Amino acid sequence: MQRVLRITLGSLSVAGLMMVGLMIHTRGWENFKLRSFASAQVLRNQVQNAVAEPKQSTGAARVELDTLLSGGVPKDGIPSIDAPEFDTAETTPFKGDELVIGVMINGEAKAYPYGILNWHEIVNDTVGGVNVAVSYCPLCDTIVAFTRGDTTYGVSGLLFQSCLVMYDRADDSLYAQPWGLGVLGPQTNQDLERLPAVKTTLDSWLAEHPDSKILATRTGHQRDYLSYPYGTYYTDEAIIFPVRNQDQLTLHPKAIVSYVWETNTETPMNEFAGASHQFVHDELRQTGTQIVEFAGRDIRARWDEALETVIVEEMDGTVIPSSTAFSFVYPAFY
């Protein structure tokens, strides 16, 4: 019996090692860690909501507090980059196919690689003499760049509809990043002043802006910036945290769209109020342009061959700030 037990245990050990090896080889290990962590966090949120006293805001709020879920890290547990350093095209360790957020202000161009943003999500910077924050949510693929004045923004550790919730370090106001809108605190219902920013590849950005600075991996933190930490999440169908209105989704949940939005003066709880429109990248790649009515005027979205992305603009060519996103984000927020 003992011999059979030893053989069985030995076989299980070998099988276990083979499984671990397969998981690591196929990014399964990253997927396993992500799913296990997220499942535990969702359960933790559910338990906390079930046993806690009814939550009521002591100040202004745009969202019900129970809809702000913990992402599993504390405030600033994902550290923003507040003193960014930069490389050039010759010194950056990133390859040409690295996805970046490109920002151009007053003649100065900068690129922020996804490899760094996956770990930090917010960069407080100055571009072209303007104090800006460049934000990215890895769970939603949303990008919002905006002026920050004399303050800086950090990662709150909370999620709303699976997306990044930022906070203003001047007064602790919370902002739902895909809306660029204050949702709790003194700045509730206040819009951030958004700036044009594009999702593209480093090669494409440098072809247009060869003198662009590129965010450096010298962040003061030890991270593997040259590998993707979310397994197959970027392309699979998994949505880790609860997200509403997915019955409206007709695309693959990770299909890439760009959306534009303008708020109005209404303030419905948990909802957007104003005008919005989404453009599907795969469709525009085929058709080239699309003109739609938006907030009482015509606007145009076009596929930019050089940058390999969607640009949204007024009919006179003025660029309208927009965000890319996974397709599951649009029905959840708009």
Side-chain angles (χ1 to χ4, degrees), residues 156-309:
S156 71
L158 299 172
L159 300 172
F160 178 64
Q161 303 303 320
S162 192
C163 288
L164 167 65
V165 175
M166 310 178 293
Y167 80 96
D168 182 344
R169 292 194 174 108
D171 59 16
D172 276 341
S173 291
L174 298 184
Y175 290 81
Q177 186 244 14
W179 283 339
L181 181 72
V183 295
L184 183 65
Q187 301 303 317
T188 295
N189 296 319
Q190 298 302 305
D191 288 314
L192 296 170
E193 183 184 355
R194 291 176 280 122
L195 300 164
V198 297
K199 171 187 176 180
T200 185
T201 63
L202 182 58
D203 266 352
S204 296
W205 181 253
L206 288 174
E208 295 286 297
H209 307 285
D211 295 327
S212 176
K213 298 175 182 177
I214 304 159
L215 184 64
T217 57
R218 301 182 298 279
T219 64
H221 302 274
Q222 295 297 317
R223 304 288 190 274
D224 185 0
Y225 294 122
L226 299 183
S227 67
Y228 180 64
Y230 290 91
T232 60
Y233 179 82
Y234 195 83
T235 55
D236 66 27
E237 295 189 355
I239 303 174
I240 304 303
F241 289 87
V243 178
R244 64 190 175 186
N245 298 335
Q246 293 308 289
D247 58 329
Q248 301 175 19
L249 192 62
T250 59
L251 301 167
H252 186 290
K254 304 298 177 56
I256 303 301
V257 304
S258 287
Y259 65 89
V260 290
W261 70 107
E262 288 184 13
T263 58
N264 60 23
T265 58
E266 298 178 13
T267 58
M269 187 63 71
N270 293 334
E271 302 292 339
F272 176 78
S276 69
H277 194 88
Q278 75 166 350
F279 303 93
V280 180
H281 279 220
D282 281 345
E283 293 178 0
L284 271 169
R285 189 181 286 110
Q286 299 298 319
T287 62
T289 62
Q290 184 179 356
I291 296 174
V292 300
E293 190 277 333
F294 175 74
R297 66 191 191 277
D298 286 343
I299 64 171
R300 176 176 57 224
R302 60 179 175 83
W303 182 255
D304 189 301
E305 291 287 352
L307 293 174
E308 297 182 282
T309 194

Side-chain angles (χ1 to χ4, degrees), residues 14-59:
V14 171
L17 289 172
M18 291 175 64
M19 182 175 293
V20 169
L22 180 62
M23 290 169 68
I24 292 174
H25 180 68
T26 61
R27 285 191 167 181
W29 180 239
E30 289 89 345
N31 287 341
F32 175 76
K33 289 190 294 183
L34 180 63
R35 305 297 189 272
S36 299
F37 164 78
S39 297
Q41 195 56 40
V42 169
L43 179 60
R44 178 172 176 265
N45 280 312
Q46 291 172 341
V47 170
Q48 287 179 335
N49 289 341
V51 303
E53 293 292 327
K55 295 181 181 179
Q56 293 186 0
S57 172
T58 57

